[in-house]
Amino acid sequence: MRVATGSDHAGYRLKRVLAERLAERGHEVTDLGTDSEDRVDYPDFGAAVGRAVAAGEAALGVCVCGSGIGIAMAANKVSGVRAAVVHDSTSAALARQHNDANVVCFGQRLLEDSVALAALDAFLDADFEGGRHAGRVAKLDVL
């Protein structure tokens, strides 16, 4: 599966760690930047990942900034994106199972690498449950 990644300077290191895990799991990683820890603006990279997912250029997206919040806000501005900030394996699995999230967002300043890697694995391994959640997700899609 093709996965788009993006981060600002505050998430650059963790993005690289997560991209390595994606590659280890056999996914094709499309890195949409940034390429260093030099200061940049998170909306540019959240939007780039969101656009790639919405256009079908990537099946899923992975975003990282300092908290995960700003880059998620940027990704969620793109129609068709359901970006979720996750803090552990449980929130990551539920983002997929209940909300059909297609972009997962992490905060490098808030998570240990091991927690972020476990959350990424949980996100990738989970599937949307549909059922009672389908109507709610459909409401999100028309906003």
Side-chain angles (χ1 to χ4, degrees):
M1 162 176 28
R2 182 174 295 160
V3 180
T5 63
S7 73
D8 68 356
H9 58 285
Y12 174 70
R13 186 195 55 75
L14 181 58
K15 177 190 72 169
R16 292 185 59 194
V17 169
L18 297 172
E20 184 176 310
R21 175 59 61 90
L22 289 165
E24 288 170 1
R25 290 183 56 134
H27 300 292
E28 180 182 342
V29 178
T30 302
D31 185 348
L32 300 175
T34 193
D35 299 322
S36 74
E37 293 182 343
D38 294 338
R39 189 190 170 287
V40 293
D41 297 325
Y42 62 80
D44 300 331
F45 302 97
V49 170
R51 288 183 189 116
V53 170
E57 297 165 5
L60 296 173
V62 174
C63 291
V64 189
C65 69
S67 67
I69 297 167
I71 205 159
M73 289 178 172
N76 275 321
K77 291 288 187 177
V78 179
S79 181
V81 171
R82 290 176 303 281
V85 180
V86 302
H87 302 286
D88 54 25
S89 296
T90 301
S91 59
L94 288 172
R96 292 277 285 158
Q97 293 166 343
H98 292 190
N99 308 111
D100 200 17
N102 51 15
V103 175
V104 61
C105 302
F106 298 91
Q108 179 177 303
R109 294 177 180 146
L110 304 177
L111 299 176
E112 296 293 326
D113 289 1
S114 61
V115 173
L117 288 166
L120 178 64
D121 288 338
F123 183 81
L124 295 170
D125 292 341
D127 293 312
F128 181 51
E129 293 177 354
R132 71 182 193 274
H133 307 293
R136 297 169 185 150
V137 171
K139 287 182 176 186
L140 290 174
D141 287 342
V142 298
L143 290 176

